Amino acid sequence: MTEPVISFDDLSVSFPTDDGMVRAVRNVSFDVEPGEVMAVVGESGSGKSVTALAAMRLHPGSTEITGEVRFGGRDLLGIGEKEMRRVRGNGIAMIFQDPMTALNPVMKVGAQIAEMVLTHDDVSKKEAWTRAADLLESVGVPEPGRRVKQYPHEFSGGMRQRAMIAMAIANGPDLLIADEPTTALDVTIQAQVLEVMKTAQEATGAAILLITHDLGVVAGIADRVVVMYGGRVFESGSADQVFYRSQNPYTRGLMSSIPRLDAPKGERLIPIPGTPPNVLNPPSGCAFGPRCAFASDGCHEAHAELMSVGFDGTHRSRCHKLAELPDLFAAAETR
Amino acid sequence: MFAYAARRILATIPLLIVATLGLFALESSVRDPVAELRVSCPQCDQIAFDRLIDLYDLDKPVLDLSNPGGSRYIAWLGNVATGDFGNSTSQGDNPVSDTVFTRAKNTMILAVPAFFVIASLATFLGVYSAVHQYSKTDYTITGLSFLGIAMPTFFFGLLLQVFWGIWFHDWFGMRPFFTTQMHDDNFVDLLKSITLPIVTLALVVVATESRFIRASMLDVIHSDYIRTARAKGLSERKVIFKHALRNAMIPVVTIWALDFSALLGGSVVTESIFSWPGLGPLLISSIFAADVNMVMAIILLISVLAIGFNLIADLLYGVLDPRIRIS
């Protein structure tokens, strides 16, 4: 059994707003194993991005965090700012959602990649620029020698995201956090960028923590999946377990709300009724209770615990009706 | 870049013509020298009036398009084109250009150091405020800025004079750091003379500019690429000075250009309060004396400064921001 690259242990994140305390992440625990792609899936406000930012400690100063984020044998939440800076960009690198705004508009792309190299590696400026060009080539940017001297506005959206990936893998990180890396891109470009991420992962051996709301992206690339809702983990397991043998009404609701090519002709998409829970004032009991087709009175009283499903402990789900779910799903199917 | 600059300079010529024509017409019509002479000199006869009319071409219209050669404005424009701004009617019969040149030099002695004080102080205060948003220092700087913006220049200038000239002397029994004389030959004396006017000039501009820089910096600090810079593991100092500052300063360049050209054009209030022989007091006294040549020369200088520095700002814009670089 190898050590996980990063493990979130009972992580809770809250931040004050004008209207009160928002508990964005509640007691989240999961591990990312070396070299795997772990996807964190959820709607807006589910706490998935906040979890990722907490690992990098890039949250605003007023944020309250409890729990542990273990990386490289230490708790990232307990180390000093200087030590944390050595982790950022070196041990853990991050790819952000919108490549149009995530690159500095007044710095050449090559300079921005070279800066990443120079921050963590003792090389000459010239060497760093050569590495920047090599990195751009490795992520499939044509004419890297010319492209390094260009500014971000001279790059297309897909090319910019490639440049972001090149920057992220510059120092061979152990973990790559990708926060909605394809959301801002055209569908045709999305597949290419995912392909680039996979290639980069194979080349560097980095694990990927993929934050997304796009189940199509997850299906194509993830080894394991964590489904988050209302700041809590609702289901976790291998991609197969979560996709094909889901033991959670919320995950199931997500699945039936996306179109499938193999669906019988004329089948309608079933959206999840209602809206995600109000983060300031979440419902009592199960956060998904008010929107759940299978909820009964008991669901609204207390929140359920995350329980093991099956026998090997790799598949976990949070539901009051875990025992009855197979029957309930079967009944819903025949209706 | 060069073609762009040349095009911009050519485009300012019609602007200058319209501006000077309007001002020439206004300035020429506010007073009637003949009528004034009639009042001030009851014993003068028609010969004296005719001489006056002849001397200043008072019988000719300001602008007559059917007979351009007989227009006062066209005649003035032609002289200006050859470098002749005419003679003053209020400062002895000397060439206007000599007086304006001396006064502009005096104004520059205040304006150039004032600009550097303003630019550095406003940048420091604005950046510090933004980086420490909502801290006690931020609130203090904000409060003082509003005080500076709200305080009339003449009041602040007088307050400084009272403080240094009277109170400071009463409290400490020392000679105050203040004089109203110009001392071209002695640097320390010159410094003593220009300190208070510069502080007065700087106050309002520093107050407004630091607010502007704070807002611009805050915009940038909360942008995605600053988060990217932090995620690289850069030190906070590098994040602020290497990534944030340059982006935040792009819009500030325009403000600097306008403020600097305004300073170079002379300050009527500050220079008058400190009896500084700059362009400001000259402009006011020339307007009251209906010294058309003098007023036009100063106005032309102010216009050229404003247009020139606007152009410089636009060119600098392109240097700082590759997105709008002119190819």
Side-chain angles (χ1 to χ4, degrees):
Chain A
M1 187 78 188
T2 50
E3 275 284 295
V5 176
I6 193 166
S7 49
F8 296 87
D9 190 9
D10 205 27
L11 181 76
S12 294
V13 184
S14 322
F15 29 76
T17 65
D18 289 343
D19 301 315
M21 209 65 176
V22 170
R23 293 187 58 197
V25 175
R26 298 158 183 246
N27 311 97
V28 163
S29 302
F30 65 86
D31 299 340
V32 181
E33 304 295 336
E36 76 168 343
V37 178
M38 170 65 113
V40 180
V41 185
E43 294 167 76
S44 323
S46 63
K48 55 192 195 303
S49 286
V50 177
T51 306
L53 285 176
M56 289 290 265
R57 295 216 333 226
L58 286 175
H59 41 73
S62 52
T63 315
E64 286 173 26
I65 303 190
T66 58
E68 276 190 12
V69 179
R70 299 204 66 78
F71 176 85
R74 60 208 192 286
D75 177 16
L76 290 184
L77 302 180
I79 61 175
E81 178 61 24
K82 220 173 159 185
E83 204 177 339
M84 190 63 218
R85 283 211 303 268
R86 280 199 288 273
V87 174
R88 291 189 196 123
N90 196 22
I92 309 176
M94 200 152 176
I95 301 165
F96 292 102
Q97 174 171 354
D98 190 352
M100 311 309 266
T101 56
L103 289 166
N104 190 336
V106 302
M107 264 174 90
K108 285 176 180 158
V109 172
Q112 299 192 46
I113 301 173
E115 185 184 43
M116 183 78 150
V117 175
L118 287 165
T119 306
H120 299 285
D121 211 345
D122 193 18
V123 296
S124 73
K125 220 171 163 181
K126 206 178 149 214
E127 239 174 308
W129 273 82
T130 316
R131 271 207 1 226
D134 293 345
L135 283 160
L136 276 186
E137 186 163 29
S138 76
V139 293
V141 174
E143 296 183 77
R146 189 173 64 88
R147 291 296 221 163
V148 280
K149 294 191 204 101
Q150 290 185 329
Y151 289 93
H153 71 277
E154 295 167 274
F155 277 52
S156 68
M159 284 297 153
R160 283 188 219 190
Q161 199 59 304
R162 282 169 197 256
M164 280 296 289
I165 294 169
M167 198 158 85
I169 60 171
N171 296 307
D174 297 321
L175 177 68
L176 212 54
I177 300 178
D179 188 1
E180 305 263 10
T182 57
T183 308
L185 300 172
D186 287 349
V187 182
T188 46
I189 308 294
Q190 286 185 4
Q192 291 175 16
V193 167
L194 283 176
E195 196 55 47
V196 169
M197 273 179 58
K198 257 191 131 156
T199 319
Q201 184 207 19
E202 280 155 17
T204 59
I208 294 181
L209 181 61
L210 178 70
I211 315 289
T212 183
H213 67 266
D214 187 340
L215 289 169
V217 168
V218 177
I221 192 172
D223 299 310
R224 289 198 302 144
V225 180
V226 168
V227 179
M228 281 184 74
Y229 187 81
R232 286 198 171 89
V233 174
F234 261 56
E235 189 171 13
S236 69
S238 70
D240 274 359
Q241 285 167 337
V242 173
F243 273 94
Y244 299 111
R245 298 191 294 281
S246 170
Q247 291 298 314
N248 193 286
Y250 174 60
T251 315
R252 226 181 123 81
L254 278 183
M255 296 296 173
S256 30
S257 63
I258 54 165
R260 280 174 19 204
L261 277 178
D262 59 346
K265 207 177 166 197
E267 192 184 79
R268 285 169 174 275
L269 293 178
I270 309 161
I272 305 176
T275 52
N278 180 344
V279 284
L280 278 165
N281 194 12
S284 61
C286 177
F288 187 58
R291 303 171 72 186
C292 181
F294 311 114
S296 59
D297 290 348
C299 291
H300 304 305
E301 276 156 24
H303 75 84
E305 293 301 324
L306 195 60
M307 306 287 273
S308 229
V309 192
F311 39 84
D312 61 353
T314 54
H315 189 186
R316 294 156 76 83
S317 173
R318 186 191 296 279
C319 182
H320 282 295
K321 305 202 149 184
L322 215 47
E324 309 153 47
L325 274 182
D327 294 340
L328 289 169
F329 286 164
E333 207 70 59
T334 53
R335 226 182 302 142
Chain B
M1 190 82 139
F2 178 77
Y4 172 79
R7 212 164 50 234
R8 278 289 307 269
I9 291 168
L10 284 177
T12 60
I13 290 175
L15 189 66
L16 277 176
I17 288 177
V18 171
T20 48
L21 176 60
L23 284 159
F24 193 93
L26 276 175
E27 186 58 27
S28 309
S29 56
V30 279
R31 286 173 64 176
D32 181 354
V34 178
E36 280 177 26
L37 188 65
R38 249 189 208 112
V39 174
S40 63
C41 172
Q43 68 272 27
C44 288
D45 55 4
Q46 193 56 42
I47 298 167
F49 299 146
D50 287 345
R51 277 198 59 195
L52 191 65
I53 289 168
D54 186 47
L55 191 60
Y56 295 118
D57 291 335
L58 293 177
D59 53 337
K60 291 182 185 164
V62 169
L63 182 65
D64 182 2
L65 287 176
S66 58
N67 178 23
S71 311
R72 277 151 70 192
Y73 175 72
I74 298 293
W76 175 82
L77 206 59
N79 290 337
V80 166
T82 61
D84 175 14
F85 289 85
N87 283 8
S88 168
T89 54
S90 63
Q91 307 275 323
D93 198 22
N94 301 314
V96 160
S97 46
D98 290 358
T99 315
V100 170
F101 183 78
T102 319
R103 294 300 191 100
K105 206 185 77 193
N106 291 344
T107 286
M108 255 175 73
I109 292 174
L110 287 187
V112 174
F115 176 72
F116 285 106
V117 169
I118 289 164
S120 46
L121 202 58
T123 308
F124 174 77
L125 292 176
V127 170
Y128 191 93
S129 255
V131 173
H132 300 89
Q133 193 189 10
Y134 301 141
S135 68
K136 280 203 182 91
T137 325
D138 178 29
Y139 285 125
T140 311
I141 293 172
T142 302
L144 290 176
S145 296
F146 285 131
L147 192 69
I149 294 167
M151 183 123 62
T153 311
F154 72 87
F155 182 69
F156 184 67
L158 291 175
L159 208 64
L160 275 181
Q161 289 185 338
V162 172
F163 182 84
W164 288 107
I166 300 171
W167 295 344
F168 192 82
H169 185 251
D170 287 352
W171 294 338
F172 301 103
M174 280 192 266
R175 266 186 63 81
F177 194 67
F178 166 59
T179 155
T180 57
Q181 304 298 302
M182 267 199 70
H183 303 275
D184 279 335
D185 47 343
N186 185 323
F187 182 72
V188 176
D189 280 350
L190 179 69
L191 202 65
K192 284 184 181 178
S193 306
I194 64 174
T195 304
L196 294 191
I198 285 177
V199 171
T200 311
L201 281 174
L203 180 80
V204 182
V205 192
V206 166
T208 43
E209 277 190 9
S210 68
R211 297 302 299 162
F212 187 83
I213 293 172
R214 176 183 182 270
S216 176
M217 192 71 183
L218 279 178
D219 255 10
V220 171
I221 281 178
H222 292 126
S223 64
D224 283 358
Y225 55 85
I226 294 303
R227 192 179 53 182
T228 307
R230 290 213 172 93
K232 282 174 161 181
L234 295 177
S235 66
E236 196 57 24
R237 214 185 62 228
K238 270 197 174 159
V239 171
I240 297 299
F241 290 107
K242 196 170 165 192
H243 286 264
L245 193 58
R246 183 162 163 204
N247 280 287
M249 283 327 229
I250 293 170
V252 177
V253 166
T254 314
I255 309 278
W256 273 351
L258 292 179
D259 284 346
F260 190 39
S261 71
L263 283 171
L264 285 174
S267 153
V268 172
V269 176
T270 306
E271 286 176 358
S272 300
I273 287 176
F274 290 95
S275 322
W276 189 262
L279 285 171
L282 179 66
L283 176 63
I284 287 296
S285 64
S286 304
I287 289 173
F288 284 131
D291 190 343
V292 178
N293 286 339
M294 187 71 86
V295 173
M296 290 313 295
I298 298 175
I299 294 292
L300 194 63
L301 176 68
I302 291 174
S303 309
V304 168
L305 281 173
I307 291 167
F309 276 93
N310 249 311
L311 177 64
I312 291 174
D314 282 358
L315 295 179
L316 270 180
Y317 228 89
V319 173
L320 284 174
D321 192 343
R323 283 167 294 184
I324 49 166
R325 201 157 285 176
I326 307 116
S327 49

PDB file of all heavy atoms in Angstrom, chain A residues 255-272:
ATOM      1  N   MET A 255     -26.759  11.702 -12.900  1.00  0.00           N
ATOM      2  CA  MET A 255     -26.586  10.842 -14.080  1.00  0.00           C
ATOM      3  C   MET A 255     -27.781  10.958 -15.016  1.00  0.00           C
ATOM      4  O   MET A 255     -27.624  11.045 -16.234  1.00  0.00           O
ATOM      5  CB  MET A 255     -26.462   9.365 -13.664  1.00  0.00           C
ATOM      6  CG  MET A 255     -25.249   9.070 -12.847  1.00  0.00           C
ATOM      7  SD  MET A 255     -23.773   9.374 -13.792  1.00  0.00           S
ATOM      8  CE  MET A 255     -22.580   9.136 -12.506  1.00  0.00           C
ATOM      9  N   SER A 256     -28.994  10.950 -14.447  1.00  0.00           N
ATOM     10  CA  SER A 256     -30.157  10.954 -15.336  1.00  0.00           C
ATOM     11  C   SER A 256     -30.426  12.339 -15.906  1.00  0.00           C
ATOM     12  O   SER A 256     -31.293  12.487 -16.757  1.00  0.00           O
ATOM     13  CB  SER A 256     -31.399  10.401 -14.621  1.00  0.00           C
ATOM     14  OG  SER A 256     -31.325  10.673 -13.256  1.00  0.00           O
ATOM     15  N   SER A 257     -29.671  13.365 -15.446  1.00  0.00           N
ATOM     16  CA  SER A 257     -29.901  14.700 -15.995  1.00  0.00           C
ATOM     17  C   SER A 257     -28.945  15.019 -17.136  1.00  0.00           C
ATOM     18  O   SER A 257     -28.979  16.106 -17.682  1.00  0.00           O
ATOM     19  CB  SER A 257     -29.772  15.766 -14.892  1.00  0.00           C
ATOM     20  OG  SER A 257     -28.469  15.779 -14.390  1.00  0.00           O
ATOM     21  N   ILE A 258     -28.062  14.066 -17.491  1.00  0.00           N
ATOM     22  CA  ILE A 258     -27.195  14.337 -18.642  1.00  0.00           C
ATOM     23  C   ILE A 258     -27.570  13.415 -19.810  1.00  0.00           C
ATOM     24  O   ILE A 258     -27.957  12.269 -19.608  1.00  0.00           O
ATOM     25  CB  ILE A 258     -25.685  14.161 -18.309  1.00  0.00           C
ATOM     26  CG1 ILE A 258     -25.402  12.782 -17.714  1.00  0.00           C
ATOM     27  CG2 ILE A 258     -25.224  15.256 -17.393  1.00  0.00           C
ATOM     28  CD1 ILE A 258     -23.942  12.442 -17.702  1.00  0.00           C
ATOM     29  N   PRO A 259     -27.475  13.928 -21.045  1.00  0.00           N
ATOM     30  CA  PRO A 259     -27.847  13.117 -22.206  1.00  0.00           C
ATOM     31  C   PRO A 259     -26.859  11.975 -22.446  1.00  0.00           C
ATOM     32  O   PRO A 259     -25.655  12.126 -22.186  1.00  0.00           O
ATOM     33  CB  PRO A 259     -27.799  14.126 -23.361  1.00  0.00           C
ATOM     34  CG  PRO A 259     -26.988  15.267 -22.871  1.00  0.00           C
ATOM     35  CD  PRO A 259     -27.036  15.264 -21.391  1.00  0.00           C
ATOM     36  N   ARG A 260     -27.353  10.844 -22.899  1.00  0.00           N
ATOM     37  CA  ARG A 260     -26.480   9.702 -23.200  1.00  0.00           C
ATOM     38  C   ARG A 260     -26.734   9.229 -24.618  1.00  0.00           C
ATOM     39  O   ARG A 260     -27.868   9.192 -25.073  1.00  0.00           O
ATOM     40  CB  ARG A 260     -26.741   8.566 -22.219  1.00  0.00           C
ATOM     41  CG  ARG A 260     -26.071   8.758 -20.896  1.00  0.00           C
ATOM     42  CD  ARG A 260     -26.464   7.703 -19.883  1.00  0.00           C
ATOM     43  NE  ARG A 260     -27.035   6.491 -20.457  1.00  0.00           N
ATOM     44  CZ  ARG A 260     -27.832   5.683 -19.772  1.00  0.00           C
ATOM     45  NH1 ARG A 260     -28.156   5.971 -18.527  1.00  0.00           N
ATOM     46  NH2 ARG A 260     -28.305   4.588 -20.321  1.00  0.00           N
ATOM     47  N   LEU A 261     -25.666   8.837 -25.305  1.00  0.00           N
ATOM     48  CA  LEU A 261     -25.815   8.382 -26.684  1.00  0.00           C
ATOM     49  C   LEU A 261     -26.542   7.051 -26.761  1.00  0.00           C
ATOM     50  O   LEU A 261     -27.257   6.765 -27.711  1.00  0.00           O
ATOM     51  CB  LEU A 261     -24.436   8.253 -27.340  1.00  0.00           C
ATOM     52  CG  LEU A 261     -23.854   9.555 -27.906  1.00  0.00           C
ATOM     53  CD1 LEU A 261     -22.472   9.290 -28.466  1.00  0.00           C
ATOM     54  CD2 LEU A 261     -24.771  10.129 -28.978  1.00  0.00           C
ATOM     55  N   ASP A 262     -26.342   6.195 -25.703  1.00  0.00           N
ATOM     56  CA  ASP A 262     -26.913   4.851 -25.779  1.00  0.00           C
ATOM     57  C   ASP A 262     -28.322   4.770 -25.182  1.00  0.00           C
ATOM     58  O   ASP A 262     -28.870   3.697 -25.003  1.00  0.00           O
ATOM     59  CB  ASP A 262     -26.000   3.834 -25.067  1.00  0.00           C
ATOM     60  CG  ASP A 262     -25.782   4.185 -23.607  1.00  0.00           C
ATOM     61  OD1 ASP A 262     -26.111   5.340 -23.236  1.00  0.00           O
ATOM     62  OD2 ASP A 262     -25.285   3.337 -22.847  1.00  0.00           O
ATOM     63  N   ALA A 263     -28.887   5.928 -24.859  1.00  0.00           N
ATOM     64  CA  ALA A 263     -30.228   5.913 -24.272  1.00  0.00           C
ATOM     65  C   ALA A 263     -31.251   5.540 -25.337  1.00  0.00           C
ATOM     66  O   ALA A 263     -31.073   5.872 -26.511  1.00  0.00           O
ATOM     67  CB  ALA A 263     -30.554   7.283 -23.705  1.00  0.00           C
ATOM     68  N   PRO A 264     -32.339   4.831 -24.944  1.00  0.00           N
ATOM     69  CA  PRO A 264     -33.388   4.489 -25.912  1.00  0.00           C
ATOM     70  C   PRO A 264     -33.985   5.756 -26.504  1.00  0.00           C
ATOM     71  O   PRO A 264     -34.058   6.793 -25.830  1.00  0.00           O
ATOM     72  CB  PRO A 264     -34.436   3.757 -25.064  1.00  0.00           C
ATOM     73  CG  PRO A 264     -33.772   3.414 -23.777  1.00  0.00           C
ATOM     74  CD  PRO A 264     -32.619   4.346 -23.596  1.00  0.00           C
ATOM     75  N   LYS A 265     -34.397   5.662 -27.782  1.00  0.00           N
ATOM     76  CA  LYS A 265     -34.949   6.809 -28.459  1.00  0.00           C
ATOM     77  C   LYS A 265     -36.200   7.317 -27.743  1.00  0.00           C
ATOM     78  O   LYS A 265     -37.012   6.522 -27.290  1.00  0.00           O
ATOM     79  CB  LYS A 265     -35.287   6.446 -29.902  1.00  0.00           C
ATOM     80  CG  LYS A 265     -35.244   7.633 -30.817  1.00  0.00           C
ATOM     81  CD  LYS A 265     -35.502   7.221 -32.247  1.00  0.00           C
ATOM     82  CE  LYS A 265     -35.793   8.477 -33.057  1.00  0.00           C
ATOM     83  NZ  LYS A 265     -36.432   8.176 -34.310  1.00  0.00           N
ATOM     84  N   GLY A 266     -36.308   8.620 -27.612  1.00  0.00           N
ATOM     85  CA  GLY A 266     -37.502   9.178 -26.984  1.00  0.00           C
ATOM     86  C   GLY A 266     -37.399   9.300 -25.485  1.00  0.00           C
ATOM     87  O   GLY A 266     -38.265   9.895 -24.862  1.00  0.00           O
ATOM     88  N   GLU A 267     -36.320   8.776 -24.887  1.00  0.00           N
ATOM     89  CA  GLU A 267     -36.198   8.906 -23.437  1.00  0.00           C
ATOM     90  C   GLU A 267     -35.906  10.355 -23.075  1.00  0.00           C
ATOM     91  O   GLU A 267     -35.105  11.019 -23.708  1.00  0.00           O
ATOM     92  CB  GLU A 267     -35.074   7.998 -22.913  1.00  0.00           C
ATOM     93  CG  GLU A 267     -35.098   7.874 -21.402  1.00  0.00           C
ATOM     94  CD  GLU A 267     -33.924   7.050 -20.879  1.00  0.00           C
ATOM     95  OE1 GLU A 267     -32.809   7.617 -20.791  1.00  0.00           O
ATOM     96  OE2 GLU A 267     -34.111   5.879 -20.561  1.00  0.00           O
ATOM     97  N   ARG A 268     -36.595  10.845 -22.010  1.00  0.00           N
ATOM     98  CA  ARG A 268     -36.419  12.225 -21.615  1.00  0.00           C
ATOM     99  C   ARG A 268     -35.353  12.337 -20.538  1.00  0.00           C
ATOM    100  O   ARG A 268     -35.146  11.423 -19.756  1.00  0.00           O
ATOM    101  CB  ARG A 268     -37.735  12.778 -21.062  1.00  0.00           C
ATOM    102  CG  ARG A 268     -38.730  13.058 -22.134  1.00  0.00           C
ATOM    103  CD  ARG A 268     -40.084  13.327 -21.507  1.00  0.00           C
ATOM    104  NE  ARG A 268     -41.033  13.734 -22.525  1.00  0.00           N
ATOM    105  CZ  ARG A 268     -41.163  14.975 -22.953  1.00  0.00           C
ATOM    106  NH1 ARG A 268     -40.421  15.935 -22.446  1.00  0.00           N
ATOM    107  NH2 ARG A 268     -42.033  15.273 -23.884  1.00  0.00           N
ATOM    108  N   LEU A 269     -34.696  13.495 -20.537  1.00  0.00           N
ATOM    109  CA  LEU A 269     -33.759  13.776 -19.446  1.00  0.00           C
ATOM    110  C   LEU A 269     -34.569  14.131 -18.214  1.00  0.00           C
ATOM    111  O   LEU A 269     -35.603  14.784 -18.306  1.00  0.00           O
ATOM    112  CB  LEU A 269     -32.858  14.955 -19.802  1.00  0.00           C
ATOM    113  CG  LEU A 269     -31.873  14.740 -20.947  1.00  0.00           C
ATOM    114  CD1 LEU A 269     -31.106  16.016 -21.199  1.00  0.00           C
ATOM    115  CD2 LEU A 269     -30.927  13.603 -20.631  1.00  0.00           C
ATOM    116  N   ILE A 270     -34.096  13.668 -17.068  1.00  0.00           N
ATOM    117  CA  ILE A 270     -34.819  13.982 -15.835  1.00  0.00           C
ATOM    118  C   ILE A 270     -33.975  14.935 -15.009  1.00  0.00           C
ATOM    119  O   ILE A 270     -32.958  14.551 -14.437  1.00  0.00           O
ATOM    120  CB  ILE A 270     -35.088  12.709 -15.014  1.00  0.00           C
ATOM    121  CG1 ILE A 270     -35.725  11.646 -15.917  1.00  0.00           C
ATOM    122  CG2 ILE A 270     -35.984  13.017 -13.822  1.00  0.00           C
ATOM    123  CD1 ILE A 270     -35.615  10.256 -15.360  1.00  0.00           C
ATOM    124  N   PRO A 271     -34.347  16.220 -14.962  1.00  0.00           N
ATOM    125  CA  PRO A 271     -33.568  17.148 -14.138  1.00  0.00           C
ATOM    126  C   PRO A 271     -33.834  16.916 -12.661  1.00  0.00           C
ATOM    127  O   PRO A 271     -34.877  16.361 -12.284  1.00  0.00           O
ATOM    128  CB  PRO A 271     -34.091  18.517 -14.577  1.00  0.00           C
ATOM    129  CG  PRO A 271     -35.466  18.256 -15.087  1.00  0.00           C
ATOM    130  CD  PRO A 271     -35.498  16.853 -15.603  1.00  0.00           C
ATOM    131  N   ILE A 272     -32.878  17.313 -11.819  1.00  0.00           N
ATOM    132  CA  ILE A 272     -33.117  17.258 -10.376  1.00  0.00           C
ATOM    133  C   ILE A 272     -33.965  18.465 -10.015  1.00  0.00           C
ATOM    134  O   ILE A 272     -33.577  19.594 -10.329  1.00  0.00           O
ATOM    135  CB  ILE A 272     -31.792  17.297  -9.592  1.00  0.00           C
ATOM    136  CG1 ILE A 272     -30.861  16.192 -10.055  1.00  0.00           C
ATOM    137  CG2 ILE A 272     -32.051  17.194  -8.093  1.00  0.00           C
ATOM    138  CD1 ILE A 272     -29.495  16.206  -9.405  1.00  0.00           C
TER     139      ILE A 272
END
